[in-house]
Short mmCIF file of all heavy atoms in Angstrom, two decimals:
data_model
loop_
_atom_site.label_atom_id
_atom_site.label_comp_id
_atom_site.label_asym_id
_atom_site.label_seq_id
_atom_site.Cartn_x
_atom_site.Cartn_y
_atom_site.Cartn_z
N VAL A 1 233.55 225.09 170.85
CA VAL A 1 234.48 224.87 171.96
C VAL A 1 235.03 223.46 171.93
O VAL A 1 236.23 223.23 172.13
CB VAL A 1 233.78 225.15 173.31
CG1 VAL A 1 234.65 224.70 174.48
CG2 VAL A 1 233.44 226.62 173.44
N PHE A 2 234.18 222.48 171.66
CA PHE A 2 234.60 221.09 171.58
C PHE A 2 235.65 220.89 170.49
O PHE A 2 236.64 220.18 170.68
CB PHE A 2 233.39 220.20 171.33
CG PHE A 2 233.72 218.77 171.01
CD1 PHE A 2 234.15 217.90 172.00
CD2 PHE A 2 233.63 218.30 169.71
CE1 PHE A 2 234.47 216.58 171.70
CE2 PHE A 2 233.94 216.98 169.40
CZ PHE A 2 234.36 216.12 170.40
N LEU A 3 235.46 221.52 169.34
CA LEU A 3 236.43 221.38 168.26
C LEU A 3 237.76 222.03 168.61
O LEU A 3 238.82 221.53 168.25
CB LEU A 3 235.87 222.00 166.97
CG LEU A 3 234.64 221.34 166.37
CD1 LEU A 3 234.28 221.99 165.03
CD2 LEU A 3 234.84 219.84 166.18
N LEU A 4 237.72 223.14 169.33
CA LEU A 4 238.95 223.82 169.71
C LEU A 4 239.71 223.06 170.79
O LEU A 4 240.93 222.88 170.71
CB LEU A 4 238.63 225.23 170.22
CG LEU A 4 238.13 226.27 169.20
CD1 LEU A 4 237.77 227.56 169.92
CD2 LEU A 4 239.19 226.53 168.13
N ALA A 5 238.98 222.58 171.80
CA ALA A 5 239.63 222.02 173.00
C ALA A 5 239.70 220.50 173.00
O ALA A 5 240.53 219.93 173.70
CB ALA A 5 238.91 222.50 174.25
N GLY A 6 238.83 219.84 172.27
CA GLY A 6 238.78 218.38 172.31
C GLY A 6 237.99 217.86 173.49
O GLY A 6 237.85 216.65 173.65
N HIS A 7 237.48 218.74 174.32
CA HIS A 7 236.61 218.37 175.43
C HIS A 7 235.61 219.50 175.64
O HIS A 7 235.64 220.50 174.91
CB HIS A 7 237.42 218.11 176.71
CG HIS A 7 238.16 219.30 177.22
ND1 HIS A 7 239.36 219.74 176.67
CD2 HIS A 7 237.88 220.18 178.23
CE1 HIS A 7 239.78 220.81 177.31
NE2 HIS A 7 238.91 221.09 178.26
N LEU A 8 234.75 219.38 176.63
CA LEU A 8 233.68 220.35 176.79
C LEU A 8 233.59 220.84 178.23
O LEU A 8 232.85 220.28 179.04
CB LEU A 8 232.35 219.72 176.37
CG LEU A 8 231.24 220.68 175.95
CD1 LEU A 8 231.71 221.61 174.84
CD2 LEU A 8 230.03 219.89 175.48
N PRO A 9 234.35 221.89 178.58
CA PRO A 9 234.28 222.44 179.94
C PRO A 9 232.95 223.17 180.16
O PRO A 9 232.24 223.52 179.21
CB PRO A 9 235.46 223.42 179.97
CG PRO A 9 235.65 223.83 178.54
CD PRO A 9 235.29 222.62 177.72
N GLU A 10 232.62 223.39 181.40
CA GLU A 10 231.38 224.08 181.73
C GLU A 10 231.57 225.59 181.71
O GLU A 10 232.68 226.11 181.70
CB GLU A 10 230.88 223.62 183.11
CG GLU A 10 230.49 222.15 183.15
CD GLU A 10 229.42 221.81 182.13
OE1 GLU A 10 228.47 222.61 181.98
OE2 GLU A 10 229.52 220.75 181.48
N PHE A 11 230.46 226.31 181.71
CA PHE A 11 230.45 227.77 181.77
C PHE A 11 231.03 228.23 183.11
O PHE A 11 230.72 227.64 184.14
CB PHE A 11 229.00 228.26 181.61
CG PHE A 11 228.83 229.73 181.63
CD1 PHE A 11 228.96 230.47 180.46
CD2 PHE A 11 228.52 230.40 182.81
CE1 PHE A 11 228.78 231.84 180.46
CE2 PHE A 11 228.35 231.77 182.82
CZ PHE A 11 228.48 232.49 181.65
N PRO A 12 231.90 229.26 183.14
CA PRO A 12 232.36 230.12 182.06
C PRO A 12 233.71 229.68 181.46
O PRO A 12 234.29 230.43 180.66
CB PRO A 12 232.51 231.47 182.74
CG PRO A 12 232.97 231.11 184.12
CD PRO A 12 232.30 229.80 184.47
N ASP A 13 234.20 228.49 181.83
CA ASP A 13 235.48 228.04 181.28
C ASP A 13 235.41 227.86 179.77
O ASP A 13 236.41 228.06 179.06
CB ASP A 13 235.91 226.73 181.95
CG ASP A 13 236.22 226.91 183.42
OD1 ASP A 13 236.53 228.04 183.82
OD2 ASP A 13 236.15 225.92 184.17
N ASP A 14 234.23 227.48 179.26
CA ASP A 14 234.10 227.33 177.81
C ASP A 14 234.25 228.67 177.10
O ASP A 14 234.84 228.77 176.02
CB ASP A 14 232.77 226.66 177.45
CG ASP A 14 231.56 227.34 178.08
OD1 ASP A 14 231.73 228.32 178.82
OD2 ASP A 14 230.43 226.86 177.84
N GLN A 15 233.75 229.73 177.73
CA GLN A 15 233.92 231.07 177.17
C GLN A 15 235.39 231.45 177.06
O GLN A 15 235.84 232.03 176.07
CB GLN A 15 233.20 232.12 178.02
CG GLN A 15 231.69 232.10 177.90
CD GLN A 15 231.07 233.24 178.68
OE1 GLN A 15 231.52 233.58 179.78
NE2 GLN A 15 230.03 233.84 178.13
N GLN A 16 236.16 231.11 178.08
CA GLN A 16 237.57 231.50 178.13
C GLN A 16 238.36 230.85 177.00
O GLN A 16 239.28 231.45 176.45
CB GLN A 16 238.17 231.14 179.49
CG GLN A 16 239.37 231.99 179.87
CD GLN A 16 239.04 233.47 179.91
OE1 GLN A 16 238.03 233.89 180.47
NE2 GLN A 16 239.89 234.27 179.29
N ILE A 17 238.02 229.62 176.65
CA ILE A 17 238.71 228.94 175.54
C ILE A 17 238.54 229.72 174.25
O ILE A 17 239.50 229.90 173.48
CB ILE A 17 238.17 227.51 175.39
CG1 ILE A 17 238.66 226.64 176.55
CG2 ILE A 17 238.58 226.90 174.06
CD1 ILE A 17 238.12 225.24 176.56
N VAL A 18 237.35 230.22 174.02
CA VAL A 18 237.08 231.00 172.80
C VAL A 18 237.82 232.34 172.86
O VAL A 18 238.47 232.75 171.90
CB VAL A 18 235.57 231.23 172.63
CG1 VAL A 18 235.31 232.15 171.45
CG2 VAL A 18 234.85 229.91 172.45
N LEU A 19 237.74 233.03 173.99
CA LEU A 19 238.33 234.35 174.11
C LEU A 19 239.85 234.30 174.00
O LEU A 19 240.49 235.27 173.57
CB LEU A 19 237.92 234.99 175.44
CG LEU A 19 236.42 235.29 175.58
CD1 LEU A 19 236.12 235.76 177.01
CD2 LEU A 19 235.99 236.36 174.58
N ASN A 20 240.45 233.16 174.36
CA ASN A 20 241.91 233.03 174.32
C ASN A 20 242.43 232.54 172.98
O ASN A 20 243.65 232.41 172.80
CB ASN A 20 242.39 232.07 175.42
CG ASN A 20 242.19 232.65 176.81
OD1 ASN A 20 242.02 233.85 176.97
ND2 ASN A 20 242.20 231.79 177.81
N HIS A 21 241.54 232.24 172.04
CA HIS A 21 241.99 231.58 170.83
C HIS A 21 242.58 232.52 169.80
O HIS A 21 243.34 232.08 168.92
CB HIS A 21 240.84 230.79 170.19
CG HIS A 21 241.28 229.86 169.10
ND1 HIS A 21 242.03 228.73 169.34
CD2 HIS A 21 241.13 229.93 167.76
CE1 HIS A 21 242.31 228.13 168.20
NE2 HIS A 21 241.77 228.83 167.22
N GLY A 22 242.25 233.79 169.85
CA GLY A 22 242.84 234.73 168.89
C GLY A 22 241.95 235.08 167.72
O GLY A 22 242.43 235.61 166.72
N TYR A 23 240.66 234.81 167.81
CA TYR A 23 239.74 235.24 166.78
C TYR A 23 239.57 236.75 166.85
O TYR A 23 239.99 237.40 167.83
CB TYR A 23 238.37 234.56 166.96
CG TYR A 23 238.35 233.09 166.64
CD1 TYR A 23 237.70 232.18 167.47
CD2 TYR A 23 238.96 232.59 165.49
CE1 TYR A 23 237.66 230.83 167.18
CE2 TYR A 23 238.94 231.24 165.19
CZ TYR A 23 238.29 230.36 166.04
OH TYR A 23 238.27 229.02 165.74
N THR A 24 238.95 237.33 165.82
CA THR A 24 238.64 238.75 165.88
C THR A 24 237.76 239.02 167.09
O THR A 24 237.04 238.14 167.57
CB THR A 24 237.90 239.20 164.61
OG1 THR A 24 236.65 238.51 164.54
CG2 THR A 24 238.73 238.93 163.36
N ALA A 25 237.81 240.24 167.59
CA ALA A 25 237.04 240.60 168.78
C ALA A 25 235.55 240.36 168.57
O ALA A 25 234.85 239.88 169.47
CB ALA A 25 237.30 242.05 169.16
N GLU A 26 235.07 240.66 167.37
CA GLU A 26 233.64 240.51 167.09
C GLU A 26 233.23 239.04 167.09
O GLU A 26 232.19 238.68 167.67
CB GLU A 26 233.30 241.15 165.73
CG GLU A 26 233.45 242.66 165.69
CD GLU A 26 234.90 243.10 165.47
OE1 GLU A 26 235.78 242.20 165.29
OE2 GLU A 26 235.16 244.31 165.51
N LEU A 27 234.03 238.18 166.46
CA LEU A 27 233.69 236.76 166.42
C LEU A 27 233.81 236.15 167.81
O LEU A 27 232.94 235.38 168.24
CB LEU A 27 234.59 236.02 165.44
CG LEU A 27 234.34 234.50 165.30
CD1 LEU A 27 232.90 234.22 164.89
CD2 LEU A 27 235.31 233.88 164.30
N SER A 28 234.87 236.49 168.53
CA SER A 28 235.05 235.97 169.89
C SER A 28 233.87 236.34 170.77
O SER A 28 233.36 235.52 171.55
CB SER A 28 236.35 236.50 170.49
OG SER A 28 237.46 236.01 169.80
N GLN A 29 233.44 237.59 170.68
CA GLN A 29 232.34 238.06 171.51
C GLN A 29 231.03 237.36 171.14
O GLN A 29 230.23 237.02 172.01
CB GLN A 29 232.18 239.58 171.37
CG GLN A 29 231.07 240.17 172.24
CD GLN A 29 231.25 239.85 173.72
OE1 GLN A 29 232.37 239.86 174.24
NE2 GLN A 29 230.16 239.55 174.41
#
């Protein structure tokens, strides 16, 4: 999450950054 966003939000905002990035469903999950 830190590498994607450049900062470190708390749960569950950190999850949303990953889910919105466009990875495959399996990797995102």
